[in-house]
Amino acid sequence: MSITGEAEYSFEPMDDTHLKVVGRVVAVEAVTSDGVMKEQFGDMDVETLIGELAGQTSYWVIDLKGEDDDEMAKALPENVAKAAEVKARAAAKEGEEKPAEGEKPKVSKETVVTALGSQFLDLARPPEFPVPSLVFGDPTKTMTEEKDINLFGQEIPMEFEKAYSITAPAGEGDGAISSLAIEVVASGAKEMSQGGQSAFVAVDQEVSGTIEVEPSMAIPRASKLDILMTISFGV
């Protein structure tokens, strides 16, 4: 599956230690799917949904280090409302006629648009800054971390190695920078069960791109990322 598009993120203070992150799909230029990913959406042609992806939103909560606070995010009114909608759709489906044996369940267009928009916004989120901070004279820092990623509703444990490099000084005071380069290599695996079947899923991810920085505030202003994710299934 390939998605090319643009997203914007706003960061709103919630309290002294947390920020609310709002992601919105600005535009999607192309969506293609094949193989297993195409099968996941049944007979629906995802290429026809490009225009409907714009405006999709997602909401997170992060602390001042950029780390997610999942419990606070779940309590956001927007996410509570989304969870209620998902629950209502699931309840409505219970009364529908189940597909015959060997027949794929039908997937609604609304469900596909929501899933694609949410996944795109989650993967395209601006990367957090390195800890400790970058300094001139030692322009590259490497971070390693372990965290779960959400892949179409499934949590996959991943190990990340991130390398940051200063690519442009800001020229506005000692140590200020205006651009960083980032390279990420990540991998993870998990055994999943669904519909009475189990499969071993392995995920490999490579990310490269740049982060533009607002020097006066030392926070990300924009990022441009190329993300390659390979998903392998086995039994």
Side-chain angles (χ1 to χ4, degrees):
M1 169 167 284
S2 174
I3 303 178
T4 303
E6 179 183 354
E8 66 179 10
Y9 298 82
S10 64
F11 297 80
E12 306 169 6
M14 292 185 65
D15 53 37
D16 291 340
T17 57
H18 292 86
L19 301 172
K20 175 182 176 182
V21 183
V22 182
R24 184 177 70 87
V25 179
V26 175
V28 172
E29 300 165 10
V31 180
T32 59
S33 63
D34 204 352
V36 173
M37 294 306 296
K38 188 171 185 177
E39 293 173 6
Q40 177 156 341
F41 301 113
D43 298 327
M44 194 170 300
D45 182 4
V46 296
E47 294 181 41
T48 64
L49 304 178
I50 289 176
E52 300 188 42
L53 288 170
Q56 290 288 307
T57 55
S58 290
Y59 306 87
W60 304 269
V61 175
I62 61 174
D63 63 18
L64 298 185
K65 294 181 180 179
E67 297 177 352
D68 286 299
D69 190 312
D70 294 332
E71 292 304 314
M72 290 187 70
K74 288 178 183 177
L76 290 174
E78 297 89 347
N79 288 336
V80 170
K82 281 189 175 184
E85 289 176 9
V86 171
K87 190 174 181 179
R89 285 199 296 266
K93 275 191 172 184
E94 289 182 1
E96 296 178 0
E97 184 178 345
K98 294 184 178 180
E101 186 176 349
E103 183 181 345
K104 294 179 181 177
K106 292 183 179 180
V107 184
S108 70
K109 182 171 70 173
E110 181 184 41
T111 298
V112 174
V113 170
T114 300
L116 288 175
S118 175
Q119 194 65 66
F120 177 67
L121 287 169
D122 194 45
L123 291 174
R125 282 176 61 183
E128 68 272 24
F129 274 6
V131 179
S133 301
L134 291 167
V135 293
F136 289 99
D138 185 15
T140 302
K141 293 290 183 185
T142 301
M143 296 171 57
T144 58
E145 64 176 340
E146 296 180 0
K147 66 178 182 179
D148 292 349
I149 67 166
N150 188 293
L151 197 61
F152 292 108
Q154 296 284 348
E155 295 291 331
I156 310 290
M158 299 279 288
E159 184 176 278
F160 292 81
E161 182 172 305
K162 305 178 182 181
Y164 297 80
S165 302
I166 296 174
T167 54
E172 298 180 10
D174 184 27
I177 57 177
S178 64
S179 181
L180 298 175
I182 181 172
E183 301 283 341
V184 180
V185 177
S187 61
K190 182 179 181 179
E191 186 173 0
M192 294 183 180
S193 297
Q194 188 173 8
Q197 297 181 335
S198 61
F200 186 78
V201 180
V203 180
D204 294 286
Q205 181 178 335
E206 295 180 11
V207 179
S208 61
T210 57
I211 308 170
E212 293 181 18
V213 180
E214 178 58 52
S216 63
M217 301 177 67
I219 59 173
R221 178 174 56 198
S223 62
K224 185 175 182 180
L225 306 173
D226 290 319
I227 304 167
L228 174 63
M229 179 176 285
T230 304
I231 306 172
S232 304
F233 296 85
V235 294

